[in-house]
Amino acid sequence: LLDEARLDPTQRELLRLTWRMLDAIHSGDAGDYAALSTADLSCFEDVCQYRIDGLEFHLALIRQMAGNPDLKPKRFDVLSP
């Protein structure tokens, strides 16, 4: 378990927001995920070999996972907050 006492208030807030985003992904809440993200989001995902630009890819993926429980991640691990 994470000893949150070692984290300063900013770190705790960032960790809380990270878990909120992960929960939005897992629960299929595209609206909450969008509210916590920026429209010009860029990232590398394990589902493709190139950089993904923009939020819409993630929102579509979250919506797709919400409709198919087999696509949902089984767990999330934050190894080094």
Side-chain angles (χ1 to χ4, degrees):
L1 290 173
L2 174 66
D3 179 9
E4 287 193 19
R6 296 177 302 153
L7 303 177
D8 67 38
T10 300
Q11 291 170 321
R12 281 194 297 275
E13 177 65 6
L14 289 171
L15 186 59
R16 185 188 70 77
L17 291 170
T18 298
W19 279 112
R20 188 172 152 199
M21 288 187 84
L22 293 173
D23 184 60
I25 293 167
H26 193 269
S27 67
D29 190 340
D32 199 29
Y33 186 87
L36 293 166
S37 299
T38 181
D40 62 350
L41 171 75
S42 291
C43 70
F44 292 92
E45 291 284 353
D46 61 346
V47 296
C48 64
Q49 59 188 3
Y50 52 87
R51 188 181 76 201
I52 301 167
D53 295 322
L55 181 59
E56 191 52 43
F57 170 86
H58 291 92
L59 297 179
L61 191 59
I62 290 168
R63 290 182 197 112
Q64 184 180 17
M65 287 188 300
N68 185 346
D70 292 334
L71 296 176
K72 284 185 179 183
K74 303 302 181 230
R75 65 186 270 181
F76 294 106
D77 295 310
V78 177
L79 300 178
S80 182

